[in-house]
Amino acid sequence: MLTTTTVAPLVNRYPLERALSAADEAGPTEGDMLRAALTAYDIPSFAATWGGVSYVLVAVDRATDEGDAEAGLRLVISSGEDAARPAEQHDEPWSAQLCTPDDDWAGEAFRAPLGLTTSEESAVTAWAIARWLDREGPALLERHPRPAFPAL
């Protein structure tokens, strides 16, 4: 049973206002806004592209190197096919897809609700991703460990 003393740290760990403030101050792209909101929760992220599609990349193990993030279990967060467009052109909700180290899609981790401003949507997405990483990340990393690369 959760008591008020155990609930308070859960609620205070990721204050939505922190991510909203960071997103409000970021720009000029929608990806910049989301990345700022993620940074507010100490979640490393990268602006990435593949096949002409730009997205925000987050490693489930919170890798701080883009190459490591791409090689491991990761979230590919996109809004349509262009996270590098100006924030005022944001017209599709953020969607976070889980991708395995073998480059297989493993499902959707989060989809932002409709009707929010770009700042609000970025903050809510970062908040949901932070909580998802805490809740789901450890078990997923056990099932999908980072591949071991031979020393050169």
Side-chain angles (χ1 to χ4, degrees):
M1 176 175 166
L2 291 177
T3 65
T4 36
T5 55
T6 59
V7 171
L10 297 175
V11 172
N12 295 330
R13 180 161 184 182
Y14 301 112
L16 191 56
E17 298 80 20
R18 186 184 327 156
L20 183 57
S21 177
D24 275 340
E25 295 174 13
T29 72
E30 61 187 1
D32 293 334
M33 294 176 85
L34 177 59
R35 293 191 62 218
L38 290 162
T39 298
Y41 297 139
D42 297 322
I43 299 171
S45 65
F46 308 93
T49 59
W50 185 80
V53 174
S54 63
Y55 57 93
V56 174
L57 172 68
V58 171
V60 174
D61 66 2
R62 298 183 186 223
T64 58
D65 176 83
E66 185 174 357
D68 287 343
E70 277 287 351
L73 188 64
R74 61 204 177 271
L75 292 172
V76 173
I77 310 168
S78 63
S79 168
E81 294 185 351
D82 190 1
R85 64 187 158 188
E88 61 272 6
Q89 293 178 13
H90 181 80
D91 61 356
E92 293 186 44
W94 287 115
S95 172
Q97 305 295 321
L98 182 64
C99 187
T100 69
D102 295 327
D103 293 331
D104 293 327
W105 295 105
E108 185 173 80
F110 176 76
R111 179 171 295 276
L114 297 173
L116 303 174
T117 67
T118 307
S119 292
E120 292 167 341
E121 189 178 314
S122 295
V124 166
T125 299
W127 179 84
I129 295 299
R131 294 179 51 113
W132 184 91
L133 288 169
D134 285 353
R135 185 181 62 247
E136 305 293 332
L140 285 167
L141 289 168
E142 283 184 29
R143 288 197 312 259
H144 302 281
R146 176 175 295 286
F149 294 105
L152 298 177

